[in-house]
């Protein structure tokens, strides 16, 4: 008995009018589609857009429109300041791009890191907005919303399942983070849409159109082609099964196979193009690795912070249960849909950047999610499941996803734990022990997190005590942990005993500390570690300050004081106990300029300490911003300048530039740590000889495949003092090097270089 007859018989036994029920479901589906379409489109026009690899997506639209080329030049950057003024007003050339996701073909020509399929799709909207005199950057979110709307209507019209199956597919696709990706200037929404439509067409036996769409999608990310490989495999399996009726290598079969294969040709175009321009098949090939491959696969599936389990754990569980039930009932269509879901996960798990720029969940997870949804509704349609079980499963999947989307929708960042993970780490740390690279990434902000080795500490957001520790077990790192943590004698003894019981096997280990117990460990601040010591108090006030909540337009307070350039300041804030923030992150402290709090912790029950580096340009205001939903009362504030006790480099060998504008370089080894500030002092003996045309710089650089930030400061005075920020040193593929470089008319004498560590 097929599914339709089974449903009809069930409703007849239940005395329910099937036609009337289906009519109500169809009407409800139409109402949802119209409401969602309007809301998606309005959302794309009104809400702020955000971006990361913006240059790989926006600059190709300029080159394609004005030069009919996908190769980017300086002219395109100049034109971008006209077409996208808000996003490119400060961009003058290649070196000033914010996220230089471009590959260099020559000194003055570049190509997008991704083959520009997505920019091409956004061109119609850009041209319409351009003719209308509107913000052309809106072309990207508008295109995202239109693609999603078209996708949902195609699911409704072309998916060959019951009306309830269509409704389930539409709602499950909507109840996902894809709505957050509408405003993201990136290709994820396009991939989500193309994969969804391709799977719908495949289910309705439109194999060639499905193959073409998957091939086009894979032009942006080749791992999408894993779905195409499943399609090709099923095609050849079908040929072999049909060999009794038609010979496998008959002329008709060969001709049909060639025709079918032609629809996959687009996936080869980026490889040919990149080989011609860069002599490499694909720019992402260098980022593939088999190291800890199994952990990465499991993370994409089950990690509650960025995997499918972050928003659809019940949907994921339902999919695997249906696969098992379907196989037990000898319904093997499920194997194909299991392949559509699992194979791309296995493919993109090869990539190093497991945690890269996740908007709620991993970007890869987002565009693979349709395979999960379409697979569920198709498998349910293929096997006999009682309608009330189908309804119950759908209800549970939607409700669970809605709850997680609501809970985890706050404080979303690609370098922080979401609310679910924080809850477990705060209260039950033993229940969440992710792949160690994920922990480093979310806890410490590392990009190539699998390369990190130093101990990583998670402190409860409730009381700031240690609940989870990750470290590579060596005697050196164990000593470092003991030296960096403090507590009462019993807590310190407990820590030492636990570390002693773990073998020195150079493997990564987690250590969990139960919250609310007698063991209370805190991280020593830079002053306790001896890196810095107090110099003098520069501001002290006992006048109370009340800062309104974040909903108020005036939720900031400013403290006037005279700060010195390139000085580390300690800011002690005593809060009123009744309005003490639950988390120190809800109150930000910064100096005017581009300064931000670099370390903060509760030193007492209602006191918090911040360490802040000032910039080279003098700042005169300390800004305190309240991000809480309630007002914050501050009893008093004390600002103290700090003195460095940790000079890690003091080079006193004089260096003289060659003069006559000849290139001069004096390099010296420098091994900074990730995400730390360093104060650099370069002294010049004869600065009066420096001419306006001279080029004399202090540079910190290191080799990398991923274009890291490289600090550079121009030298001109007798004593040049500045702060440098190391960034993510895991990106380095060789040791870091600091150097004095430049060209001067006259020989200029560099008498000394000093580098001091400040704080993270």
């Amino acid at each position: 008995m097929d599914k339709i007859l089974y449903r009809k018989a069930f409703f007849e036994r239940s005395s329910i009018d099937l036609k009337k029920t289906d009519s109500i479901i169809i009407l409800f589906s139409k109402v949802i589609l119209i409401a969602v379409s309007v809301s998606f489109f309005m959302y794309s026009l009104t809400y702020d857009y955000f971006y990361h690899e913006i240059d790989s997506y926006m600059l190709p639209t300029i080159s394609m429109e004005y030069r009919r080329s996908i190769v980017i030049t300086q002219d395109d950057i100049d034109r971008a300041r006209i077409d996208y003024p808000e996003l490119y007003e400060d961009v003058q050339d290649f070196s000033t791009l914010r996220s230089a996701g471009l590959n260099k073909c020559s000194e003055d020509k570049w190509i997008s890191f991704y083959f520009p399929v997505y920019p091409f799709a956004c061109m119609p909207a850009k041209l319409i907005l351009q003719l209308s005199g509107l913000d052309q950057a809106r072309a990207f979110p508008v295109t995202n919303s239109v693609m999603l709307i078209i996708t949902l209507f195609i699911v409704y019209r072309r998916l060959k399942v019951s009306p309830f199956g269509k409704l389930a597919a539409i709602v499950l696709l909507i109840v996902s983070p894809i709505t957050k990706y509408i405003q993201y200037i990136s290709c994820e929404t396009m991939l989500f849409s193309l994969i969804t439509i391709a799977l719908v067409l495949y289910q309705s036996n439109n194999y060639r159109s499905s193959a073409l769409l998957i091939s086009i999608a894979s032009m942006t990310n080749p791992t999408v082609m894993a779905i195409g490989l499943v399609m090709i495999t099923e095609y050849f399996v079908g040929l072999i099964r049909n060999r009794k009726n038609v010979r496998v290598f008959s002329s008709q079969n060969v001709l049909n196979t060639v025709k079918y294969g032609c629809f996959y040709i687009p996936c080869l175009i980026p490889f040919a193009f990149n080989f011609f321009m860069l002599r490499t098949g694909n720019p992402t090939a260098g980022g593939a690795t088999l190291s800890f491959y199994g952990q990465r696969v499991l993370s994409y599936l089950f990690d509650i912070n960025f995997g499918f389990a972050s928003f659809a754990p019940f949907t994921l569980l339902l999919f695997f249960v249906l696969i098992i039930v379907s196989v037990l009932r000898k319904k093997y269509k499920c194997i194909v849909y299991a392949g559509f879901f699992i194979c791309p996960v296995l493919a993109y798990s090869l990539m190093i950047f497991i945690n890269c720029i996740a908007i709620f969940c991993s970007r890869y997870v987002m565009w693979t999610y349709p395979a999960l949804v379409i697979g569920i509704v198709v498998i349910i349609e293929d096997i006999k499941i009682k309608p009330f079980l189908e309804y119950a499963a759908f209800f549970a999947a939607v409700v669970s996803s809605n709850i997680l989307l609501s809970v985890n929708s706050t404080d979303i960042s690609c370098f922080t734990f979401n609310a679910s993970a924080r809850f477990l780490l705060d209260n039950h740390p033993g229940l969440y022990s992710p792949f160690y690279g994920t922990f480093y990434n979310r806890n410490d902000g590392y990009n190539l997190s699998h390369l990190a080795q130093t101990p990583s500490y998670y402190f409860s957001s409730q009381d700031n005590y240690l609940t989870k520790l990750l470290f590579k077990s060596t005697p050196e790192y164990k000593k470092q942990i003991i030296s960096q943590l403090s507590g009462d004698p019993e807590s310190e003894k407990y820590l030492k005993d636990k570390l002693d019981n773990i073998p020195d096997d150079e493997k990564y280990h987690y250590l969990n500390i139960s919250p609310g117990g007698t063991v209370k460990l805190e991280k020593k601040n830079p002053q306790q570690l001896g890196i810095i010591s107090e110099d003098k108090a520069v501001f002290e006030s006992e006048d109370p300050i009340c800062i309104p909540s974040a909903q108020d337009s005036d939720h900031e307070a400013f403290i006037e004081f005279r700060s010195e350039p390139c000085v580390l300041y300690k800011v002690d804030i005593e809060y009123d106990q009744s309005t003490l923030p639950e988390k120190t992150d809800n109150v930000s402290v910064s100096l005017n300029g581009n300064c931000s709090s670099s370390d903060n912790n509760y030193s007492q029950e209602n006191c918090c300490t911040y360490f802040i580096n000032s910039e080279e340009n003098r700042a005169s205001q300390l800004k305190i911003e309240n991000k809480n939903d309630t007002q914050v009362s501050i009893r008093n504030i004390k600002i103290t300048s700090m003195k460095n006790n940790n000079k890690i480099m003091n080079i006193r060998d004089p260096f003289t530039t060659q003069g006559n504008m000849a290139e001069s370089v004096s390099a010296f080894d420098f091994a900074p740590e990730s995400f730390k500030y360093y104060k650099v002092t370069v002294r010049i003996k004869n600065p009066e000889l420096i001419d306006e045309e001279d080029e004399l710089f202090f540079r910190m650089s290191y080799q990398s495949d991923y274009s890291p930030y490289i600090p550079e400061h121009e030298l001109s005075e007798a004593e040049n003092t500045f702060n440098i920020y190391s960034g993510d040193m895991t990106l380095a593929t060789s040791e870091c090097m600091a150097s004095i470089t430049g060209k001067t008319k006259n020989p200029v004498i560099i008498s000394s270089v000093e580098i001091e560590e400040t704080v993270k």
Side-chain angles (χ1 to χ4, degrees), residues 279-425:
R279 293 298 183 265
T280 179
N282 191 275
T284 62
T289 178
L290 288 173
S291 300
F292 304 100
Y293 179 67
Q295 289 94 321
R296 293 204 302 278
V297 173
L298 294 176
S299 295
Y300 278 120
L301 292 174
F302 304 114
D303 192 286
I304 63 172
N305 200 78
F306 71 93
F308 289 95
S310 66
F311 70 96
F314 186 85
T315 307
L316 184 66
L317 176 63
L318 177 62
F319 179 78
F320 287 125
V321 169
L322 288 172
I323 295 292
I324 295 171
V325 172
S326 188
V327 170
L328 292 176
R329 295 186 180 184
K330 298 182 179 180
K331 299 282 187 176
Y332 298 117
K333 182 187 290 187
C334 66
I335 296 176
V336 176
Y337 287 89
F340 290 156
F341 173 67
I342 293 295
C343 288
V345 174
L346 296 176
Y348 57 64
S349 293
L350 291 168
M351 302 304 298
I352 287 176
F353 284 112
I354 185 170
N355 301 295
C356 65
I357 316 303
I359 308 301
F360 197 98
C361 64
S362 168
R363 297 184 294 173
Y364 298 152
V365 164
M366 193 64 263
W367 53 256
T368 321
Y369 177 66
L372 194 66
V373 173
I374 301 300
I376 286 174
V377 296
V378 170
I379 293 171
I380 286 179
E381 201 75 14
D382 191 47
I383 60 179
K384 297 177 181 179
I385 293 181
K386 293 181 179 180
F388 75 87
L389 290 178
E390 184 178 349
Y391 299 158
F394 165 73
F395 180 78
V398 172
V399 169
S400 62
S401 291
N402 262 316
I403 291 174
L404 285 173
L405 287 169
S406 300
V407 169
N408 293 329
S409 61
T410 57
D411 298 330
I412 299 173
S413 169
C414 55
F415 293 123
T416 59
F417 292 109
N418 64 15
S420 298
R422 286 200 306 270
F423 174 80
L424 292 181
L425 290 170

Side-chain angles (χ1 to χ4, degrees), residues 247-316:
R247 288 184 298 110
V248 174
F249 296 105
S250 66
S251 59
Q252 188 62 41
N253 272 347
V254 171
L255 181 60
N256 289 337
T257 300
V258 171
K259 289 181 179 179
Y260 182 57
C262 288
F263 287 89
Y264 290 105
I265 289 178
C267 74
L268 302 176
I269 295 176
F271 289 91
F273 178 76
N274 284 312
F275 183 80
F276 177 77
M277 300 297 294
L278 306 173
R279 293 298 183 265
T280 179
N282 191 275
T284 62
T289 178
L290 288 173
S291 300
F292 304 100
Y293 179 67
Q295 289 94 321
R296 293 204 302 278
V297 173
L298 294 176
S299 295
Y300 278 120
L301 292 174
F302 304 114
D303 192 286
I304 63 172
N305 200 78
F306 71 93
F308 289 95
S310 66
F311 70 96
F314 186 85
T315 307
L316 184 66

Side-chain angles (χ1 to χ4, degrees), residues 450-461:
H450 66 290
L451 298 177
Q453 296 185 6
T454 56
S456 180
Y457 310 92
Y458 179 85
F459 297 93
S460 171
S461 58

Side-chain angles (χ1 to χ4, degrees), residues 661-729:
M661 299 304 287
E663 186 172 357
S664 303
V665 179
S666 175
F668 35 89
D669 292 333
F670 175 42
E673 297 182 35
S674 290
F675 311 116
K676 282 198 173 182
Y677 284 93
Y678 294 88
K679 182 179 178 180
V680 181
T681 302
V682 181
R683 294 182 177 87
I684 301 177
K685 190 173 182 179
N686 51 349
E688 68 278 0
L689 295 182
I690 299 178
D691 191 89
E692 289 184 359
E693 297 179 4
D694 290 348
E695 299 176 353
L696 193 61
F697 296 93
F698 172 91
R699 287 191 175 99
M700 186 183 82
S701 60
Y702 49 94
Q703 297 298 316
S704 170
D705 294 332
Y706 299 99
S707 301
Y709 171 69
I710 301 176
E712 177 181 272
H713 292 268
E714 187 169 5
L715 307 175
S716 59
E717 300 175 348
E719 182 172 297
N720 299 268
T721 302
F722 44 86
N723 289 326
I724 59 173
Y725 182 65
S726 62
D728 186 357
M729 295 304 299

Side-chain angles (χ1 to χ4, degrees), residues 40 48 106 132 204 218 249 410 419 449 471 493 649 665 754:
F40 279 2
D48 292 337
S106 62
S132 305
S204 60
S218 70
F249 296 105
T410 57
S449 48
F471 67 102
K493 182 179 182 302
M649 182 175 291
V665 179
E754 292 182 0

